[in-house]
Structures are given as C-alpha cells and as structure tokens.
Amino acid sequence: MTPTMSKPKKSNDSKSLPEGFTPEQLLKLYRNMVTIRAFDQRQLNLQRSGRIGFCVVSTGEEAVQAAVTAALNDTDWLFPYYRQHGMLLCRGASVESLANQLYGNDQDHAMARQMPVHYTDKEKHFVSLSSVIGTHLIHAVGAAMAAQYKGDDTVMATFIGDGGTSSNDFHSALTFAGVYKPPVVMYIINNKYAISHPVSEQCGAESLHIKGEGYGVPSVKVDGNDVIAVYEASKNAADKARRGEGPTLIECETYRMGAHSSSDDPTRYRSQDEMDEAAKKDPVTRFANQLKNWGLLDDVADKTLWDEIETMVVDQTNEAEKHGEPAWETLFDDVYAKVPESLARQRDELMARESDFPRENEGEFPL
Amino acid sequence: MATKTLLQGINDALITEMERDENVVVFGEDVGINEGVFRATSDLQKKFGKKRAYSTPLTESGIIGAAAGMSLYGLRPVPEIQFADFIYPAFDQIVSEVAKFRFRSGGQYPCPMVIRTPYGGGIRGGLYHSQSPEAYFTHTPGLQVVIPSTPSDAKGLLASAIRGDDPVIFMEPKKIYRSLKGDVPEGDYTVPIGPARIAKHGTDVSLFCYGAMVPVCETAAEKAKEKLGVDVEIVDLRTLYPMDEKSIIESVEKTGRALVVYEAPKTCGYGSEVAALIAERALDSLEAPVVRVGGFDTPFPYTLEKIYVPDALRVFLAIQDVVNYA
Ligand SMILES: Cc1ncc(C[n+]2csc(CCOP(=O)(O)OP(=O)(O)O)c2C)c(N)n1
C-alpha cells in the first residue's frame, strides 16, 4: 500500500514563494546547486586536460542533492554511491577537500587509497563508499537499526541509481527496512540510464518506487528536477523516520545529462534529440527562473554568483594540485587495526629497497 | 593471419564460435548496444541480433544464475562480468551452483558456460577496478580457470572454453587488452585448455607467470640477461586449473631455480600453489628457495598502484636474489 504523501504545491509557475521557505533558504539551495554544477564542470576540464585520471559528474542531479541535504539534519548520516558528491559540498566540505580525493594526494581523508569520486568524510557523516553497486543500502538500514536500538534521533539516508535497484542488496535492504521499520530514507535516483542500459530494460514494472510496496516500505515518486518537491518529500520522510514511524522509499525522476563517467561515450546509445530534450528540463536553469519569478534573483546577481563560485572552484582545485602523494609505508596501514607481522615484513622489505625504485619517470627501468 | 590486439582476439573468438554454434549466447551489463565497456563484444548485436547478444539488468547473480539455467537446458552461455571486482555478487551462483552441478547430479546435469571477466591492475582503477581474484576460483573444484596473455591464445583458449564441457572462469588481463598486438589465425582456431606455454626458453632460472605479468617478466628477463648474464626461462601458465604440473616440474628440473609472479595479494595466491608443487615434487632439483613475487597483502590501492603491482624492476631484483643464493 502506498500512502499518499502530500503532493508538493505547484511551485513552478506560481509568483509567490513556496510555503514555509525564507528567501535565504531558497537562495542557499540555489547557491549549492550552482556550486555542484561548477565543481562538476571543473572536474571535466581537469580530466580532459589529463590533470586527474577519472571523474564522475552529477549534472542534472543538483536539485536532488541540494534538497535532500537541506531537508536532513547535518548530523544525519549519508550512505551515498558515486554520484552524490554534491551533498558533501552542500554540507560545507571544501572544494579543496574533494579535489584532494580526485588527485589522490596525501591530504585525502582516505590516504588516496580509492580511485577518484569515492569520497569519505566522517566529519560530514558521509560514509565511505565502494564501487560495488548496491551493497551500501543495507548498511544504511543496519545503521538505522542501531540508531533505533540506541534511541538516537539520527536518520540515515541512502541512494541508489535505477540500475542499482536490480542489485542483490536493494532487495535485502528493503526486506530489513520493511520488517524492522528503522529510521531510514532510501532514494532511487532514476536518471534513466545505468551506463548504456535504459531503465525500460532494467525493470519490468511500470515504475521503480513501487518496488517498495511489496516489502511494506511506503514509497513515493517525485520530480527530481524540482528542488522544492524533493525537499518536501524528503522533509516528510525524515520527520516521519525521526518520529519513529519507519522507512520511506523515494524515487526521484531525473536525467543523467552527462556521460556515465569520463570513460563513457553516451552517443553510442542515446540520441542527441533525447539529450537536447532533457537539457530543457535542467534543474539549475529551472530553479534560477523560479527565483527570478519570485523576485529573488536577477541576471546580474546570477552572473556575480556564478563568477564568484567558479573562481573559488578553480582556486581550490589548484591548491589540491600542489600536494604530493602519500608515503609508501602508508599502504600497509589500516588493513587491520594493528599491522600483522607478515604484513609488516612486506612493508619493511619494500622500504629497505625504496632507494632502488624510481620515484619519477614511472615505468622506466632505472638500472 | 591478421595482426590483432588481445581484445580483438577475444572478439574474434566470440564471433567465430557464435557463427559455428547457434546455442552460443552472450550477455551481461552493457554488452549489447554499447558492445561492452571495453568493446570486447563489438559487432555481436549487429551480427547476431538481440536474441543472442544483449545487455542485462544490473545483477551479477542474476546473470550467472540465468546462465546456469540456460546451460542446463542446452545453451552455451558466455556471460560477461564487467569487472572481476564485481564477480562477488555472483560468487554463490558460481561456487555453490555452477561448479557443483555436475558432481552433485552424478554427472546428469553438467553446467558448462564461460564466464568472461577483465581482471588486474593497469588502468588506475583503485580497489574495485583492479583485483585479481583467480585464487578463489582455482580453489573451487569443478571450475576451470584460464588466463591468456597473447592475442592468439586469447582467441584459441576462449574458443576451446566455449566448446568445452565444463564451466570456465575466463579472466582477461585488461592492462594488455590493447597494448599488445600479435598474429591471430583466422576462422576456426583453438588452443587446448591445460598445457602451459614456454614463452621464452632459458637454462638458469624459471619464471612462472600468467596474464599481464608475462610481458613484465619478459622485460625483467631481458634485463637479467643484459645486467647479470642470466638466462631466464619464462613459463606462461595460461591454464591455471587444470594446472600443467609436468611443464612446471620439467622447467625447474632444468634450471634449479624458480620464481612465481602474480598480481594478486601474495598470501594464498595462485603462486603459493605453484611453489608448493615445486616443493613437493622437485625439491631435489632446487638450488635456491622458490620465491613468490606478488601484490602486497593489502587491498589494491589507487595512488600507490605503481608500487603495488609487480613491475620489471621488482621481478629483476627477485631474480638477482635467487641467482645469488649461495
Ligand atoms: C556490482 C556492480 N556491477 C557492475 C558495476 C559497474 N557499473 C558501475 S556504474 C554501473 C551502472 C550504474 O547505474 P545506476 O545504478 O543507474 O546509477 P547511475 O550511474 O546512472 O547514477 C555499472 C554497471 C558496479 N560498479 N558494481
């Protein structure tokens, strides 16, 4: 049974501000969306010019990330996959800290162990993610069960793509969420593609959110390009979870405007017409127009904001580029709480011969 | 003969075998219209249609479980797992089901299929786009495990795997997918599963290796000749299970010194099995301890990949240790 959640008010065309928002809140949402867009643009430039090895952008999904962060408390935990880095920015993480991860330098929170876009930030309650699709959903449910056990009012939010709804642990997460009713909000980011695979061939059901119903998890679908709609659905779900009334599954319908990653060429599997059509629904432009309608933004202020943010993004990514790589011996830390003897020997043997190995001219034979 | 990359060798085998046997079907994530994220399945959907070459939903256990059912019913499925790092969601299907069907049914329900998957380092893929999980599968009775290192072996071994009667984990060294070119016979061509390949004959020390470590060992061997005057024999194992015990023992009997080189974490890696075999069967021939050169016992790192994966220098230094052993 899908409970009917309050339908978001028609915020789009209306001249009056959406109910319950201050101008500051709305402008902050927009600033966050612009920051995500600008950061993603910068990632692409850095990747194309060979300064970072790989990147994933979230272009088209800024509204979801800004709205969800705004609707949650900053102490709620996030269990993301690789396309929610914008939420880190919304929670105030610096562009430089994200860029440290992309560069894989010695300032990265996780010692440059993971490939680009696999962030970890404990201070921002952004839980370490793997590349393996779907595995983290059940972690969010388990963490929510733990919060429930301890009587804390922390809510867990977790995210999965349309492709990821076919993964094994999407099923286990909904199974546990339905049975134990812990304070978790599960988001499906339906951006229509899993790399090249269209959502129409991912799932035989008419929509993805209805998958929650079979597990007893109340489910709802929202327009993921409408920041106000996502905010309201999220706020409802988070408040409900905090009241002890259990989990919610929210499908955000959106579109992956960019390539899957810097390794992907979307022209192989989708048409330019389709991409042009989707670009018309760009959530950043759409929200800018709304703000202009409400008298909160004009072209001059918009340009000033963009200039300010783009400059900041360039400056901070350049800062990250200055740092070196982690020391070799750090490779052997954190595999276990305490380095086992056999591993310590591997480390010591390597370090004893460190001078035999070239630091520069990787791949060149020095002898 | 045509000059092809290892990737083209794979693609050639898929096309040739699909033409030869209409029961061969290919599927997996992004293998249809996108022709695989590495393009190993180029032209398959164009040539054979969506019925025989298609993209599936994102579920590895689904892919392998469905392949098992198809196999039981008489098809020859060749499912792709996009990266070996993502084979674990299908581990249960592979290890509990596919590997054991023949045995548990008293031979009535064999379950042949070829699970193709790119493995290993070399693309700066960090923890989850770089792993070498071969030892999990060589440790599982019922599975054959094959890793080619040349374009022609890629074609010939894959063709044999598809025609064979047992399930095969066919691991493709993605680091050398495109960098390595070689002559590949046209049309019908097979290389038998089982025998190792002597990649280079030598008399002083044996290097056992497979996949992307073969070219690394070749460079190390050249340097050993040049700098140490040591004549290295390189044995490309290429079929990990069944293991070519005879070739391994014969090589050690000839050289008296042995190293095993692999990318996976050293402890309990496949090279440990090779070392144990030599200890059991060729101890009297040994003039130095058998040395394993492997990845470190840590997860696969991003920035420090360059020190993690054995390179020619590390192999060279190990050769030096082994030949200097008094
Ligand atoms: C278990 C697993 N299988 C395959 C992959 C390779 N892979 C990476 S992303 C991806 C598609 C994911 O699509 P979706 O869940 O819709 O998220 P999106 O990238 O569209 O945001 C695939 C198949 C993986 N990372 N993990």
Side-chain angles (χ1 to χ4, degrees):
Chain A
M1 205 183 50
T2 312
T4 40
M5 295 188 92
S6 59
K7 256 243 156 229
K9 286 122 245 160
K10 267 244 169 237
S11 46
N12 234 343
D13 317 310
S14 155
K15 284 268 174 207
S16 53
L17 294 194
E19 225 175 277
F21 288 91
T22 63
E24 292 70 35
Q25 283 172 324
L26 294 167
L27 285 169
K28 183 164 181 217
L29 281 171
Y30 183 62
R31 167 179 274 275
N32 281 339
M33 290 169 69
V34 171
T35 307
I36 300 171
R37 176 69 54 96
F39 175 71
D40 282 347
Q41 193 53 52
R42 178 69 177 160
Q43 285 196 73
L44 284 176
N45 292 340
L46 292 174
Q47 199 279 332
R48 282 179 191 146
S49 56
R51 290 161 72 182
I52 58 173
F54 175 82
C55 75
V56 165
V57 300
S58 60
T59 308
E61 301 172 25
E62 294 87 350
V64 173
Q65 299 177 82
V68 175
T69 326
L72 294 172
N73 296 342
D74 278 353
T75 48
D76 291 336
W77 288 27
L78 306 174
F79 289 79
Y81 69 103
Y82 47 77
R83 217 182 290 282
Q84 279 84 46
H85 51 275
M87 300 188 69
L88 264 177
L89 296 170
C90 297
R91 281 201 170 172
S94 69
V95 164
E96 188 179 339
S97 76
L98 272 73
N100 286 333
Q101 202 285 332
L102 297 177
Y103 278 103
N105 67 29
D106 61 359
Q107 300 299 302
D108 171 44
H109 295 306
M111 306 302 292
R113 292 193 181 123
Q114 291 232 65
M115 74 184 288
V117 313
H118 294 65
Y119 304 95
T120 297
D121 192 335
K122 190 161 186 195
E123 203 181 291
K124 302 293 178 203
H125 306 290
F126 190 95
V127 177
S128 167
L129 62 127
S130 84
S131 313
V132 190
I133 300 280
T135 43
H136 60 297
L137 300 171
I138 185 67
H139 304 161
V141 172
M145 289 168 69
Q148 189 182 44
Y149 175 90
K150 293 194 173 196
D152 294 346
D153 72 348
T154 310
V155 169
M156 308 298 157
T158 187
F159 306 82
I160 190 73
D162 39 287
T165 62
S166 298
S167 69
N168 295 355
D169 285 330
F170 181 76
H171 163 79
S172 34
L174 283 169
T175 300
F176 271 55
V179 170
Y180 297 107
K181 312 259 181 267
V184 62
V185 186
M186 293 174 61
Y187 289 88
I188 299 172
I189 313 298
N190 179 0
N191 62 17
K192 307 296 190 304
Y193 286 91
I195 309 186
S196 68
H197 203 59
V199 65
S200 58
E201 293 175 36
Q202 189 65 245
C203 173
E206 66 192 69
S207 78
L208 297 173
H209 75 287
I210 64 167
K211 289 189 173 192
E213 288 179 39
Y215 296 86
V217 175
S219 307
V220 66
K221 176 164 160 174
V222 293
D223 178 350
N225 287 14
D226 182 345
V227 65
I228 303 300
V230 179
Y231 178 88
E232 288 180 340
S234 297
K235 191 89 180 89
N236 284 339
D239 289 351
K240 190 183 86 173
R242 234 181 283 284
R243 287 195 305 269
E245 293 167 23
T248 306
L249 177 66
I250 302 178
E251 175 181 355
C252 300
E253 195 166 14
T254 179
Y255 189 84
R256 197 195 75 212
M257 289 171 70
H260 168 75
S261 72
S262 51
S263 312
D264 177 47
D265 171 12
T267 62
R268 295 177 65 87
Y269 52 81
R270 63 185 188 186
S271 70
Q272 194 57 46
D273 280 356
E274 181 188 310
M275 291 190 264
D276 293 345
E277 214 37 55
K280 290 184 192 152
K281 299 182 186 156
D282 180 340
V284 179
T285 319
R286 175 171 167 183
F287 194 43
N289 289 335
Q290 286 175 281
L291 292 168
K292 286 172 189 168
N293 262 340
W294 298 328
L296 298 180
L297 188 73
D298 59 26
D299 289 346
V300 177
D302 197 21
K303 175 147 192 339
T304 310
L305 180 72
W306 271 98
D307 287 348
E308 179 214 322
I309 287 174
E310 282 176 336
T311 307
M312 178 274 288
V313 166
V314 169
D315 289 349
Q316 293 204 17
T317 49
N318 286 347
E319 248 349 272
E321 199 164 25
K322 293 178 185 161
H323 298 288
E325 64 181 40
W328 288 8
E329 56 266 43
T330 61
L331 170 63
F332 301 87
D333 297 337
D334 302 320
V335 185
Y336 295 92
K338 189 170 170 294
V339 183
E341 214 175 292
S342 60
L343 188 55
R345 189 169 50 250
Q346 292 185 2
R347 177 193 61 205
D348 296 345
E349 278 171 15
L350 173 74
M351 297 314 292
R353 280 189 151 170
E354 194 186 5
S355 58
D356 288 341
F357 291 86
R359 279 191 178 275
E360 306 305 326
N361 306 329
E362 223 173 293
E364 222 171 76
F365 203 87
L367 294 176
Chain B
M1 288 276 191
T3 303
K4 290 194 168 160
T5 61
L6 197 147
L7 195 59
Q8 288 166 332
I10 304 276
N11 183 249
D12 186 349
L14 291 171
I15 291 173
T16 311
E17 294 309 301
M18 288 178 87
E19 277 167 350
R20 197 187 54 80
D21 178 359
E22 64 180 23
N23 284 324
V24 176
V25 289
V26 172
F27 51 90
E29 292 155 17
D30 302 289
V31 309
I33 190 169
N34 205 28
E35 304 183 325
V37 294
F38 291 101
R39 315 287 178 247
T41 53
S42 286
D43 295 331
L44 297 192
Q45 194 166 76
K46 277 181 214 134
K47 274 187 198 297
F48 302 103
K50 272 192 139 185
K51 188 179 171 192
R52 294 185 64 197
Y54 51 95
S55 298
T56 65
L58 204 170
T59 162
E60 288 76 13
S61 59
I63 292 165
I64 303 303
M70 293 175 196
S71 175
L72 298 178
Y73 202 77
L75 296 187
R76 279 297 165 122
V78 187
E80 173 179 304
I81 298 295
Q82 198 165 87
F83 283 86
D85 311 69
F86 306 135
I87 206 164
Y88 305 117
F91 200 67
D92 199 18
Q93 283 295 338
I94 297 171
V95 170
S96 306
E97 304 301 319
V98 173
K100 295 179 174 60
F101 255 116
R102 179 187 290 279
F103 186 79
R104 82 186 192 209
S105 66
Q108 296 178 89
Y109 284 104
C111 194
M113 69 173 67
V114 183
I115 301 172
R116 290 186 37 252
T117 191
Y119 84 96
I123 62 161
R124 301 206 71 202
L127 277 79
Y128 302 104
H129 294 82
S130 311
Q131 293 170 74
S132 298
E134 65 272 15
Y136 293 122
F137 302 110
T138 54
H139 190 63
T140 302
L143 300 176
Q144 297 187 331
V145 180
V146 175
I147 304 186
S149 78
T150 68
S152 60
D153 274 1
K155 174 172 177 176
L157 287 166
L158 181 54
S160 293
I162 294 172
R163 295 182 198 184
D165 292 325
D166 287 306
V168 179
I169 309 293
F170 193 87
M171 297 175 57
E172 303 168 2
K174 60 179 172 290
K175 181 182 174 156
I176 53 172
Y177 255 161
R178 293 189 174 87
S179 60
L180 208 97
K181 292 198 173 64
D183 285 341
V184 176
E186 317 256 8
D188 200 307
Y189 175 65
T190 57
V191 172
I193 289 183
R197 175 181 74 96
I198 309 296
K200 177 186 171 305
H201 290 275
T203 51
D204 298 337
V205 52
S206 304
L207 272 189
F208 299 102
C209 54
Y210 47 93
M213 287 297 104
V214 175
V216 169
C217 288
E218 283 167 347
T219 308
E222 275 167 34
K223 295 293 168 184
K225 182 86 210 169
E226 195 183 307
K227 312 273 176 194
L228 311 172
V230 168
D231 187 15
V232 175
E233 173 147 299
I234 300 176
V235 182
D236 173 2
L237 296 170
R238 71 183 178 178
T239 297
L240 273 51
Y241 202 97
M243 186 191 241
D244 185 353
E245 299 181 349
K246 187 161 167 280
S247 295
I248 296 171
I249 300 300
E250 277 175 7
S251 181
V252 177
E253 283 172 350
K254 180 168 67 172
T255 63
R257 296 172 200 266
L259 295 102
V260 202
V261 184
Y262 51 107
E263 294 178 59
K266 181 177 171 185
T267 298
C268 293
Y270 183 74
S272 307
E273 188 60 37
V274 176
L277 174 84
I278 297 169
E280 278 179 1
R281 303 257 302 273
L283 189 68
D284 292 343
S285 309
L286 284 178
E287 288 165 44
V290 183
V291 166
R292 290 169 294 165
V293 181
F296 298 111
D297 291 347
T298 77
F300 197 104
Y302 177 65
T303 297
L304 296 180
E305 166 167 0
K306 61 181 186 189
I307 61 164
Y308 183 87
V309 178
D311 59 3
L313 177 58
R314 235 164 88 194
V315 177
F316 172 88
L317 293 171
I319 293 172
Q320 199 172 30
D321 287 348
V322 167
V323 294
N324 288 343
Y325 184 85

